[in-house]
């Protein structure tokens, strides 16, 4: 028996087992059948091998139990309509975003990309490298052939310009500066003795 799987069961299944039993009691015809489904769920988890890839343990366990009940119902000659209706109640908690959240996130990303498109060229390139592609300042400077200090400057500049555009409430109202300004260097005071 795999000790990692046993530990995983102790951490994720045992605290949740009572709730799963209550859900299964509405579907199964007897307490003995609930016990059988729970036991089979234990067996399948132990036989699964690696469990590291499971991000939502409860959803995995519910889906495993649901699959066991479905297999049992398929084997039976007559399926109770009530059992099938109750099976739907044993829903799987999806840890992912809802379709509405996905659509909203895509719309938000599209809006940010439209705002970024209004940035001056170098500022836009730095913003995309840093914020969209997740490059470090050093990686950005190397990929764009500019210094790290320019990357810092353009990142701050991009954020300031984007904040101004966002404050304008719509991406179409805010306009970036007409011309690109470059970081200024303070002249060094050199005293030359003649």
């Amino acid at each position: 028996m795999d000790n990692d799987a046993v530990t995983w069961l102790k951490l994720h299944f045992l605290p949740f087992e009572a709730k799963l039993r209550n859900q299964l009691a509405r579907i199964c015809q007897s307490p003995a059948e609930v016990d059988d489904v729970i036991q089979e769920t234990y067996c399948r988890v132990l036989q699964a091998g690696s469990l590291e890839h499971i991000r939502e343990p409860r959803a995995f366990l519910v889906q495993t139990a649901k699959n066991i009940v479905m297999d049992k119902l398929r084997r039976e000659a007559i399926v109770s309509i009530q059992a099938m209706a109750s099976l739907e109640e044993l829903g799987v908690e999806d840890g992912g975003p809802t379709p509405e959240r996905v659509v909203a996130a895509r719309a938000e990303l599209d809006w940010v990309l439209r705002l970024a498109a209004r940035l001056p060229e170098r500022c836009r390139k730095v913003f995309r490298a840093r914020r969209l592609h997740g490059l470090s300042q050093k990686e950005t400077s190397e990929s764009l052939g500019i210094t790290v200090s320019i990357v810092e400057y353009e990142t701050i500049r991009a954020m300031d310009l984007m904040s101004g555009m966002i404050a304008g409430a719509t991406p179409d109202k805010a306009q970036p500066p007409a011309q690109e300004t470059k970081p200024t260097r303070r002249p060094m005071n050199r005293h030359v003795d003649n």
Side-chain angles (χ1 to χ4, degrees):
M1 192 176 300
D2 184 8
N3 286 336
D4 290 339
V6 172
T7 302
W8 190 91
L9 282 170
K10 286 179 184 176
L11 289 172
H12 299 290
F13 196 0
L14 289 179
F16 175 63
E17 183 180 339
K19 184 176 180 181
L20 183 59
R21 279 183 179 278
N22 288 337
Q23 291 176 321
L24 289 171
R26 289 181 277 178
I27 299 166
C28 299
Q29 295 175 355
S30 69
E33 190 177 339
V34 171
D35 290 339
D36 289 344
V37 172
I38 293 292
Q39 184 65 33
E40 182 65 24
T41 303
Y42 275 116
C43 289
R44 288 193 185 180
V45 170
L46 288 172
Q47 293 170 349
S50 174
L51 300 169
E52 295 172 2
H53 66 283
I54 299 171
R55 292 182 178 207
E56 299 290 333
R58 285 187 179 196
F60 174 76
L61 293 167
V62 169
Q63 187 63 52
T64 301
K66 188 175 180 178
N67 290 344
I68 292 166
V69 172
M70 288 294 291
D71 290 346
K72 179 187 167 302
L73 291 174
R74 282 189 201 108
R75 286 191 299 269
E76 292 179 355
I78 300 172
V79 176
S80 162
I81 293 174
Q82 184 180 3
M84 288 304 289
S86 297
L87 190 61
E88 291 302 318
E89 291 176 14
L90 189 63
V92 176
E93 299 171 12
D94 184 7
T98 64
E100 294 83 10
R101 182 64 193 124
V102 170
V103 169
R106 285 183 181 156
E108 191 174 312
L109 177 61
D110 183 54
W111 185 62
V112 169
L113 291 174
R114 285 195 321 266
L115 290 175
R118 296 178 163 276
L119 294 172
E121 183 180 2
R122 184 173 68 188
C123 190
R124 180 178 58 247
K125 287 179 180 179
V126 169
F127 175 80
R128 291 180 70 89
R130 296 277 292 130
R131 300 295 183 205
L132 298 179
H133 300 294
L135 298 181
S136 68
Q137 288 184 356
K138 184 177 180 182
E139 292 168 331
T140 302
S141 76
E142 290 171 358
S143 70
L144 297 177
I146 56 179
T147 65
V148 172
S149 63
I150 292 176
V151 170
E152 289 174 8
Y153 171 83
E154 292 294 353
T155 301
I156 292 168
R157 183 171 172 230
M159 298 312 291
D160 286 344
L161 290 171
M162 298 275 288
S163 294
M165 290 180 211
I166 291 169
T170 64
D172 297 330
K173 285 185 180 178
Q175 295 291 326
Q179 61 185 2
E180 183 171 329
T181 58
K182 296 183 179 173
T184 57
R185 290 188 174 171
R186 291 181 18 201
M188 297 177 82
N189 291 336
R190 293 187 184 176
H191 187 286
V192 179
D193 289 329
N194 289 0

